[in-house]
Amino acid sequence: MYGLVLGGGGSRGAYGAGAYEALRDLEITISAVTGTSIGAINGAMIAQGEFEKMKEMWHTTDTSAFIDVEKDYLKQVEDGDITLENISYFINKGIEIVKNKGVSTAKMMKLLDDMIDEDKLRNSKINYGVVTVAVDKLDPVEISIDRMPKGTVKKYIMASASLPGFKSPAINGVKHVDGGVYDNLPINLMRNMGYNKVIAVNLGPMYRKRSMKGVILISPREDLGGILDFNPKRSAYRYELGYYDTLRVFKNLKGQEYYIKSNLDKKYYRRLLLDISDSSLKKICKIHNVKDIPCERALYEVLIPRTIEILNLDRDSSYETVILAIYEEIAKYLKIDKFKVYDALEFMELVKEKYAKVKKTRKESIFDFMKRKGFIMKHFKDEILQEIMDILIEDK
């Protein structure tokens, strides 16, 4: 049984919700949830057993449900339809916020009223806690539900999720702000509640140093975007990303951006390199402008290190990592769906099959084009990898 820690990050919270669905599918038991900001909201719905309601929220709710803005004007701006009318509206909205000394949290409070049930939370078998900060002395408040006075649970959740610039809710006469000001990933609160086996879902940079002993960390490998971007389409993407990143961690999946189950012997990937024909090696050496070194030596001394550099991999990356990364780059070029768990062989065959079809439509070799134009190769990672893929397909 684990304690689940959910980080703050506004609209990025869809990632945390997706991560929780993966934990459910993996049948991992959660005994407690702590959260900051949007993590406190997700955590409350998880603790009270409202997973389906949380999932629906992330797939249907837009920014206007959290912030007092007109939905039509918001959609126009999101779609790039900028007009004098919607510019004037947002200017006036900004003036209104200044006059009111902060962004209204009325809509967010209504959302909490609709989603959160204090009695369910208190009676849940899953323990619950949040982090917020008392404004008067800037004191951090790390509090579990058993220490929250009756009738204050929603206030504490609202306090934890009140970003700087939003109207601060008062608890016992003291205003509070977003818990992310103090601790955006409340692992310490979870430990203080007595849970040492921890799964932590991080939504962005971790600025605060903390012990990660006993912590399984789930964190995105790509930027999740703005914290107020509650567009349902982008939320759905973040949700899927959180789901599959969690599978990556618990199923030890390979891949930089794709999710690949590699049950192949590590020697298999080395053999793939050793089996490249001399003629193909010479073509790859030509692409990399390698001269005066036998191609067999160049493979290990120049070509693999240079490919690692082009792919921005760690210098000590395994052959498996390098080869799969090449296939991943081509898969992105081909727009192959990444939200699926692929078998390694299945993935490589799919990429080769689709790429072979695309290759037939190309009128000119990318390498010939680059050579004719005199381009510097490191600026053309995709093109270099495509040309190498051409050679490898021919070689096999």
Side-chain angles (χ1 to χ4, degrees):
M1 296 190 292
Y2 290 89
L4 176 63
V5 176
L6 299 173
S11 57
R12 300 171 188 169
Y15 181 92
Y20 177 68
E21 179 168 353
L23 294 174
R24 277 171 53 100
D25 289 349
L26 291 165
E27 299 183 348
I28 292 173
T29 302
I30 301 299
S31 300
V33 185
T34 59
T36 295
S37 196
I38 195 66
I41 296 174
N42 279 343
M45 286 190 278
I46 290 168
Q48 69 184 32
E50 299 282 5
F51 162 70
E52 293 296 342
K53 188 182 287 188
M54 176 182 69
K55 183 174 182 177
E56 181 184 4
M57 178 188 79
W58 283 113
H59 285 83
T60 60
T61 306
D62 62 19
T63 306
S64 64
F66 292 86
I67 303 172
D68 186 19
V69 292
E70 288 291 336
K71 193 170 185 175
D72 290 343
Y73 286 125
L74 182 66
K75 188 174 188 313
Q76 288 171 15
V77 172
E78 286 180 341
D79 292 342
D81 182 14
I82 309 298
T83 65
L84 287 174
E85 184 180 0
N86 56 42
I87 288 173
S88 175
Y89 170 80
F90 283 105
I91 289 173
N92 290 329
K93 181 59 68 174
I95 294 169
E96 177 187 315
I97 290 169
V98 172
K99 284 182 178 179
N100 292 334
K101 297 181 180 179
V103 178
S104 171
T105 55
K107 281 199 168 184
M108 196 180 298
M109 197 66 226
K110 182 182 183 306
L111 185 73
L112 291 184
D113 284 336
D114 293 339
M115 306 293 280
I116 307 302
D117 185 318
E118 180 169 331
D119 288 336
K120 279 187 179 181
L121 264 178
R122 289 191 181 279
N123 294 325
S124 173
K125 293 180 180 179
I126 300 177
N127 203 352
Y128 176 71
V130 304
V131 176
T132 181
V133 174
V135 173
D136 56 350
K137 297 180 181 178
L138 290 181
D139 286 337
V141 178
E142 300 173 280
I143 187 167
S144 54
I145 193 167
D146 58 298
R147 292 171 48 223
M148 300 178 192
K150 189 171 178 57
T152 65
V153 170
K154 291 180 187 177
K155 289 183 180 180
Y156 274 105
I157 296 171
M158 183 72 252
S160 182
S162 293
L163 294 166
F166 283 63
K167 280 195 167 184
S168 305
I171 302 173
N172 297 327
V174 178
K175 290 187 175 182
H176 289 66
V177 295
D178 195 293
V181 173
Y182 172 69
D183 189 354
N184 206 39
L185 192 64
I187 293 170
N188 289 342
L189 171 59
M190 181 62 75
R191 287 183 175 134
N192 291 338
M193 288 166 57
Y195 302 89
N196 294 315
K197 289 179 65 178
V198 176
I199 300 168
V201 184
N202 179 49
L203 304 181
M206 291 195 295
Y207 299 110
R208 186 180 179 199
K209 291 183 178 179
R210 73 199 82 213
S211 169
M212 299 301 287
K213 184 179 180 181
V215 176
I216 298 172
L217 181 66
I218 299 164
S219 192
R221 295 185 179 184
E222 61 184 81
D223 187 350
L224 294 178
I227 62 174
L228 296 178
D229 180 14
F230 289 92
N231 178 287
K233 185 176 180 180
R234 287 189 279 275
S235 290
Y237 177 84
R238 296 178 185 119
Y239 192 101
E240 288 287 284
L241 193 67
Y243 182 91
Y244 279 94
D245 279 358
T246 303
L247 294 186
R248 185 199 301 283
V249 170
F250 282 91
K251 292 192 171 188
N252 193 29
L253 300 178
K254 307 300 180 182
Q256 303 305 301
E257 294 185 42
Y258 284 77
Y259 304 89
I260 304 168
K261 182 171 59 177
S262 185
N263 48 12
L264 300 170
D265 190 306
K266 299 297 184 261
K267 294 178 182 178
Y268 172 85
Y269 296 96
R270 188 167 185 271
R271 286 197 300 271
L272 281 182
L273 294 171
L274 291 174
D275 289 345
I276 297 174
S277 67
D278 290 342
S279 60
S280 291
L281 268 180
K282 287 175 182 176
K283 289 178 183 178
I284 296 172
C285 284
K286 183 180 178 184
I287 289 173
H288 286 277
N289 197 29
V290 176
K291 300 175 181 178
D292 304 324
I293 301 177
C295 282
E296 292 78 4
R297 274 182 51 200
L299 176 64
Y300 296 101
E301 295 178 16
V302 179
L303 301 181
I304 293 175
R306 194 170 290 177
T307 302
I308 286 172
E309 182 182 356
I310 289 171
L311 292 169
N312 198 29
L313 301 173
D314 293 336
R315 291 180 63 183
D316 59 351
S317 293
S318 67
Y319 296 134
E320 175 187 51
T321 298
V322 175
I323 289 173
L324 289 178
I326 292 172
Y327 277 90
E328 284 187 89
E329 289 295 331
I330 302 302
K332 286 193 291 180
Y333 166 75
L334 296 169
K335 295 182 171 56
I336 292 174
D337 182 18
K338 75 175 182 178
F339 290 136
K340 175 184 175 181
V341 176
Y342 293 93
D343 175 82
L345 280 177
E346 169 202 11
F347 179 68
M348 290 189 285
E349 289 302 319
L350 175 64
V351 172
K352 286 197 290 186
E353 178 186 335
K354 287 185 175 294
Y355 188 73
K357 293 177 182 177
V358 170
K359 181 189 170 186
K360 292 177 182 178
T361 65
R362 292 216 312 260
K363 295 181 180 179
E364 180 181 30
S365 160
I366 293 172
F367 173 58
D368 290 339
F369 172 78
M370 291 161 55
K371 186 177 178 183
R372 178 163 55 80
K373 293 292 186 181
F375 291 137
I376 299 172
M377 286 199 294
K378 70 177 182 179
H379 294 155
F380 291 86
K381 174 184 74 174
D382 293 344
E383 289 84 350
I384 293 170
L385 294 173
Q386 288 170 30
E387 197 66 29
I388 291 172
M389 182 60 72
D390 285 348
I391 294 166
L392 292 177
I393 288 174
E394 290 172 1
D395 196 52
K396 301 303 175 187

